[in-house]
Amino acid sequence: MSDPLALTDIAEETPSGSVSRAASHPTLFNIDTPLSQHAEEDHQASNVHGNHHTQSDYSRPPPVTPKLGQLRVRSGSSVSRVDVEFFDPEGVQALRRTMTKETQERGWPSAAPSSTNHALTDEPFDFEQTIRHVVRRREEALIAQRSIGVAFQNLRVVGRGASASYQRTLGSALNPLGVLENVQNIRHPALRDILGGFEGVVRPGEMILVLGRPGSGCSTLLKTLANQRQEFYAVEGDVHYDSLSPQDIHDHFRGDVQYCPEDDVHFPTLTVEQTLKFAVTTRTPRSRVDASREQFQDEVVKVITTIFGLRHTLNTPVGDAAIRGVSGGEKKRVSIAEAMATRSCVGAWDNSTRGLDSSNALEFVKALRIATDVFHTTTIVSIYQAGESLYKHFDKVCVIYEGRMAYFGAADKARQHFIDMGYEPANRQTTADFLVAVTDPIGRILRAGVISQPRTAAEFAEYFLKSEAGKENRADLDSYIEEFVGKPHVASAYMTSARAEFAKGSGKKNPYMLTIPQQVRAVMKRRVQIIRGNLLATGLQVFSFIFQSLIMGSVFLKMPQNTANFFSRGGILFFSLLFSALTTMAEIPALYSQRPIVLRHQRAALYHPFIEALALTLVDVPLTFITTIFFSIILYFMTGLQRTASQFFIFILFLFTMSITMKAYFRAIAAAFKSEAAAQSVAGIAILALSIYTGFTIPKPSMIGALRWITYINPLRYGFEAMITNEFRTLKGECSSLVPRGPGYENITLANQVCTTVGSVPGQPFVDGNRFAGISYGFFWSKTWMNFGIVIAFGVGFLTFLLLFTEFNTASAVESSVMLFKRGTGPNDEEAVNEKNSRGLMVSDDDEKLQKEDTASVPAMNDVFTWQHVRYTVPIAGQGDRLLLSDVSGYVAPGKLTALMGESGAGKTTLLNVLAQRVYTGVVTGDRFVNGQALPVDFQSQSGYCQQMDTHVPTATVREALLFSAKLRQPKSVPLAEKEAYVEKCLKMCGLEKYANASVGSLGIEHRKRTTIAVELAAKPKLLLFLDEPTSGLDSQSAWAIMSFLRSLADNGQAILCTIHQPSAELFQVFDRLLLLQKGGRTAYFGDLGRNAATLIDYFEKNGARPCLDDENPAEYMLDVIGAGATATSKRDWYQLWQSSQESTETQREIEAIHAEGRNRPAIAASIHTEFATPWAYQVVELLKRDAEAHWRDPTYLMAKLILNIVGGLFIGFTFFKAKHSIQGAQNKLFAIFMATILSVPLSNQIQVPFIQMRTVYEIRERPSRMYSWTALVTSQVLVELPWNILGATLLFLTWFWTVGFESSRGGYTYLMLGIAFPLYYTTIAQAVAAMAPSAEIAALLFSFLFSFVITFNGVLQPFAQLGWWRWMYRLSPYTYLIEGLLGQAIGGQQVSCSPVEFVTITPPSGMTCGEYMNPFISFAGGYLTNADATSACQFCSIRTTDQFLNAAFNIFYNHHWRNFGFMMAFFVFNFSCIYLLTYIFRIREGSILPSFKRRAAKK
């Protein structure tokens, strides 16, 4: 059977006066015209040329398929076309057969004369015509294609300027002048022009490439054309989408115009199929002939995944940094496929090839080309470092120079335009690089003989407007405006066809295609899929509920029905309510992580954002219900709460309703704030308020009037009232404390005894629960269903706020891109530096001269590093060993720049890590030598390694980062003045002098990369410099600046080995030598490149590769030849060819010669004979300085810490304001102390974040460089936190101690415990938990879990007397001793004066006074009488002293206070030791712990 006809691209169409603007969709439509002879010839020519899976030539002329007369004319360009079979030939063939079969089965007319009997004959089949026909039939038989172009005139975009250029510190945050400055900036923001003077048109079926240096305005242009205007201060000028205005598009047809950011943001646990099907579902048209919604969705997903080669990934999760999913190239294609599935007419793609190698980047652009041609869309793309093969796929190009339009027109005419202007491209410079280079005063080359070239951005823009290209662009724009703009019938036809797709009842004024119920159904289905994709998280949540219910159930196990357990019953109900509410706080980070996805979907008009919140709530209801059932059954029956069906089900009802209500509350808080930090702070203070004002810790009668209103707005209080009264309404608690009792009272009757529990009635041996709840808490059963109604009202209210905030507050907090300088310093020319915002940062000519002079000061190297027959295998769980490097040999000579290249996954970084001794798992075999002799013991210290990720302490300045490296990596014997002088030289060498005082975290990508290199140079590496992807993510000019700097280092004797991807031909020429790896870490070539890469090209051509074209990039040529790329293969085994080649033999001979010559010289001596260059104490001091500076420059962190202590102290203090000396007053003071200790939970979570961030910098960069000891790091991290936490605790003490009403004479010891011992404990326990956690999120979960034991068993929630079996945990809990110390000291040894409600009335036997009757009892049990001489109604208070209250119930003794302080210090020392131990076990020690235990056991 002959090859079926490939789907080729839309080519030039003949103009037609009858251009139909009526449309259904930008996708597919019918063509009933036979193919022209010309098209068939083109197709055969393309097949003769060869399949892309071997070696493809992108310079062939485009095949042409005739199109409908009613398609629009596209401006001329000799663009390279892409076969629709490109990604998945087999899948496309299968799909053709399926569609032919369906066409026959459904009785539809054939798309082409030969298509109906395709399955039975060998005639060609036109896939393009069939797809267009079939999908057209599934929509509306008489509705034609819908497409839309973009035209713009006099376009100007104004943004907010850089208002602050200094780094914030705690000092600046507290400075009142700073507040005034901020207010002034809000009232009068600094403005700047981002774009100005733009005009042009992009028609349907056209692809335009937007080029410019970073900061020139490429992203701004893309966002503006895609109608994403929210972040700009103003957009002026005219933008037309045919006859529709930007406002029309935004309000009614937002889904037709989309902006796709460079990051691929998807739900990571969804599969590729689920992701795409969701997009199709939300944009499924109303009219589908002979196909249900499901069938339509399935078939569109099938078509799209086949065209983009994603069939094999359908059931693979999309994944992210934490969840393994599809590859980077595949994820790009998922993003394109998703945009195509939503059937948009205009797509803007912002720098989407970042991080891809050249083969994957090319595949991305080819996928876009297919999509543009098949669906006749308007495509706008910005790309950094675009290769020639990429460039050829574009129709037009726009060049931006500092926010001005330097060129806009045909892509194939742009190069000549700038040559005519007076500039010339460098040798083998790609067109895209040349176009960007002319906008760089340093990178451009003046053409000889031309003297009047435009130099500034304004001159470039003016030159273009007057040029032939400018006139053509204006004519193109005018013809478009005349034909399509301001034509009511065009707008009407577009609107009619678009509205025909909208579901009935979806409303005429919104851009969403589905009705609200349809959106809810689709998003709920997706939410279920997200949960199923991440069952571990759901399982952990259910487990935590079950585990906590078991623990609490065992603590309060089978409580007797007596008055001694009244308090405990309240405690268990309070805990169950609070725990289910608190767990929702853990959702806040997840809600923020999904916000960018929801925002993108809203802008794509897939669904209302509030639908996501509603779906989350609805899907959560059954999950919450199941969790509540498990939790309730275990807890309820273990603790022995009232066992009647009605009480049990009311307990479940309120617990479930409160859970849903509180989830809506915390989600609403998250939705209300743009930043996560603000939401967490508010949620933390809200938890404090909610828990205190529930009515358990302080009953309503005891609250001060000024704050009692909080109880009325606290939903927990209404739920707690209902649960308390539900439990107590049938409870007749047997009195545990009849008074009087004991010796001498054996024969008295109940008439002369009374129960001391609140609510007791004389003459009754029990206390009525209803009466107890009413008097003690002010709670009444009669209000239960009113409370239920109030809880429901709160739930509905919170849900309404959640939906409103989610709908209207979809944006996230955006980080500033302004360069920040250390206070008191600044750049030499601040304006020049802040131009980072408008045009990026580059090194001036003077800087470059200085740089070249200073590189001469780098210590020259004379030693050659070699490696021979290196193999590296790693064990894979369940699969045996995997070979990552296979027999790799080579060398790096001084003065030479060696490139290490290969496709993604070839093992480039792996080889670099193996050579630099930075791998800690697996087995490395083979030899690594310096001058043919063994590596010195301090090889890592004598070599520099620049990682791909620029990992630095973001608050440190560039100079501080270099000085830190120099101080700790150069030997201690080198004087400090010499190190400082060398750091200044390194700053000059790297072109960083102007930015020496800028914080590293605020630098642009290029200058951060320069800082990474400078940090390594500051260590004075003697042997060689390793670099991993130094140009990744840079534009071509920044990449050139970095590589020319490395070239100058090499020219001065430095030996450099560097991995690189996507190098332009110009960049490739910078290298002297190349090591090329294939997949599996196999060598395909090692040797010199030669002039213009001639040596390399000769090697491949003589071994049977296709010839390298004159204008082809040798770097892309060699990757293509060896079969690099996701969809490419090679017929030859280049690894075997290399192994058997003369060049390989020659390489081995050269290595042996290096070894022989080197062995005649003495071995390289170790410059450092200890593990580190500096002593331990010196390391600690330097680390302390760095950590202290990092804290001071992070005012958000410190202010959050201090404000939480102050607000918490004031809130608790005023809640228990001037607590009285009554029994309730003593209990209030107990809870005032307990609640103050609870503040350690949010404070500890804060501490863990900087601890883990600093450890990450150490693990990624500083540990492999042997910069300092891990013990020095841990020591400095503990020491730097303690002063701030002691300051915070001091503020807590000052705002809390006197407001609660403790005696000043007791303040000294209380401060010692709360102001010193308390922060010492929680700082070290927080860091000990963080030491074993891989991330801050897991650290927070671990800490909450472990800390729940500390809180549960400290004798407050369940007094010691009732703890039973768990008393051993009471003795292990540190807060047992903290609370005993604080409470015993604060109120121990004081008199109690009962309040009127706490007195019990006793009737003495006739003939006896109260004193005579009660004194024997008082003598051994305590208490006092107010009317000892009375003969009736004795007023008795059961407690005389606080010691009696504390000893009996809480096991707290005043005289234990120094013992308790000693225990707290012991816990501090234990925690401090644990930080070191756990850091060693979990982060430092290599290998698992179990094998070592097994070995020890075997020895025994």
Side-chain angles (χ1 to χ4, degrees), residues 61-84:
V64 179
T65 304
K67 299 293 174 230
L68 276 181
Q70 66 256 43
L71 293 187
R72 310 186 204 192
V73 179
R74 187 166 62 197
S75 62
S77 68
S78 60
V79 63
S80 285
R81 300 303 184 209
V82 184
D83 194 315
V84 78

Side-chain angles (χ1 to χ4, degrees), residues 195-206:
L195 298 177
F198 276 68
E199 62 178 29
V201 60
V202 191
R203 296 169 183 261
E206 284 185 343

Side-chain angles (χ1 to χ4, degrees), residues 341-402:
T342 59
R343 307 182 313 128
S344 64
C345 300
V346 179
W349 307 85
D350 195 359
N351 192 23
S352 294
T353 61
R354 188 181 76 174
L356 296 183
D357 62 30
S358 50
S359 53
N360 279 335
L362 181 58
E363 288 177 1
F364 166 76
V365 173
K366 285 183 173 180
L368 274 186
R369 184 74 258 178
I370 290 172
T372 305
D373 293 335
V374 172
F375 303 133
H376 209 61
T377 55
T378 304
T379 304
I380 308 160
V381 186
S382 74
I383 294 178
Y384 290 162
Q385 298 190 49
E388 198 63 38
S389 52
L390 265 70
Y391 185 83
K392 286 180 180 178
H393 288 100
F394 289 91
D395 303 282
K396 287 182 175 177
V397 67
C398 173
V399 180
I400 305 179
Y401 184 2
E402 290 180 19

Side-chain angles (χ1 to χ4, degrees), residues 1 97 100-101 104 114-123 125:
M1 186 166 128
R97 290 190 287 273
T100 305
K101 188 178 175 187
Q104 293 167 350
S114 61
S115 65
T116 49
N117 58 354
H118 163 72
L120 308 172
T121 69
D122 287 341
E123 291 182 33
F125 170 76

